[in-house]
Amino acid sequence: MTAPALVAFDLDDTLAPSKEPIDPRIATLLLALLNKVDVAIISGGNEAQFRAQVIARLGAIDDGAAARLHLLPTCGTRYLRHDGADFSPLYAHDLTDEQKSGALTALREEAERLGLWESDPWGEILEDRGSQITFSALGQKAPRDAKHDWDPSGAKREALRDAVAARLPELEVRSGGSTSIDITLAGIDKAFGMKQLAEHTSIPLGSMLFFGDRLDEGGNDYPVLAIGVPSVAVEGWEDTADKLDELLASL
């Protein structure tokens, strides 16, 4: 493909270990990329995670670079752009109180029925992110190794996803990270977020480039590939950094 006009990234396990701040090397590469093209980050994490993991690590970003940075927390159910002072929402597709209650109940009951409810988790298992309900099997603060070992085949997540989806036909239920299930309004996934990027930036999907660690069919990055966005599969932030070095040399 020709040089992309916008480069988009998953966050956890693509730009940083799950829930952890980006490494200084990634911060430097993102700032260099922002000097050349628009940059977007789209992930299941909430806005607070985006601010802690990314924004706080970029330092004194100039107004021009900030204007080219697009943040799409909770799988694109929210879209933040810099307004000259801070990152503010262009939209937020929040769940209703009734939808949230139903999602939280279904997740807990089905996890308990399947033997997947952890009695001693690292932090909260269920989180209301406004536009997304997230189940984290081992808790929000579980260490990386424990998360990696919990469900390497994805069978546990798929069993829980299928059980919850059957109870919530009006909502989108999908596997998220290595231990998580995400629930949003129907039809909203990372493909939705990328289409919103195209609409708001007037950059065609074919002129974008996406980096993600879950581009396999069934992975939460796969919808981006499925709508025709040129994509690069990575295995952790170090791999992303190496591939960004190559990309920057070609821009």
Side-chain angles (χ1 to χ4, degrees):
M1 64 173 289
T2 57
L6 181 149
V7 181
F9 301 90
D10 171 49
L11 178 51
D12 285 347
D13 297 321
T14 297
L15 288 177
S18 181
K19 304 288 195 307
E20 295 182 20
I22 59 173
D23 186 86
R25 181 184 175 196
I26 288 288
T28 299
L29 288 166
L30 289 178
L31 290 170
L33 199 58
L34 282 164
N35 285 330
K36 298 176 179 290
V37 297
D38 282 37
V39 172
I41 301 173
I42 180 168
S43 173
N46 61 23
E47 181 179 335
Q49 287 175 237
F50 273 58
R51 291 184 180 275
Q53 288 181 260
V54 181
I55 299 304
R57 308 291 288 187
L58 292 179
I61 184 172
D62 66 58
D63 289 344
R68 290 189 291 273
L69 181 56
H70 310 259
L71 303 177
L72 294 98
T74 50
C75 293
T77 56
R78 294 174 180 264
Y79 182 6
L80 309 176
R81 291 290 301 274
H82 203 268
D83 60 11
D86 196 2
F87 287 90
S88 300
L90 288 183
Y91 67 70
H93 297 293
D94 288 343
L95 296 162
T96 66
D97 289 343
E98 182 178 2
Q99 288 169 330
K100 292 177 185 179
S101 177
L104 291 165
T105 298
L107 281 167
R108 173 144 196 166
E109 289 181 353
E110 293 304 320
E112 289 177 337
R113 183 180 66 82
L114 292 168
L116 301 177
W117 187 265
E118 178 63 42
S119 60
D120 188 23
W122 287 275
E124 296 297 323
I125 291 176
L126 297 174
E127 183 183 7
D128 177 356
R129 297 179 176 177
S131 52
Q132 179 176 293
I133 298 297
T134 294
F135 167 91
S136 297
L138 302 179
Q140 291 291 330
K141 299 179 181 179
R144 185 180 184 185
D145 289 347
K147 293 170 68 173
H148 182 269
D149 294 340
W150 182 73
D151 185 27
S153 71
K156 293 178 181 178
R157 278 169 292 157
E158 285 306 301
L160 180 57
R161 191 213 71 81
D162 291 348
V164 172
R167 292 181 53 168
L168 303 172
E170 77 284 6
L171 298 177
E172 190 81 26
V173 184
R174 60 187 173 273
S175 298
S178 56
T179 64
S180 63
I181 300 294
D182 296 327
I183 299 177
T184 63
L185 293 173
I188 295 183
D189 56 14
K190 288 185 180 179
F192 170 85
M194 297 300 289
K195 290 175 181 178
Q196 290 297 308
L197 271 177
E199 180 178 331
H200 285 277
T201 63
S202 298
I203 297 173
L205 294 173
S207 296
M208 299 180 183
L209 182 64
F210 176 77
F211 287 75
D213 71 305
R214 294 287 311 283
L215 285 164
D216 53 297
E217 190 167 356
N220 65 348
D221 295 325
Y222 180 76
V224 179
L225 180 65
I227 59 171
V229 177
S231 300
V232 179
V234 297
E235 297 180 0
W237 73 265
E238 298 94 339
D239 188 26
T240 301
D242 290 343
K243 289 173 177 172
L244 277 180
D245 281 333
E246 296 176 9
L247 176 63
L248 282 164
S250 70
L251 295 178

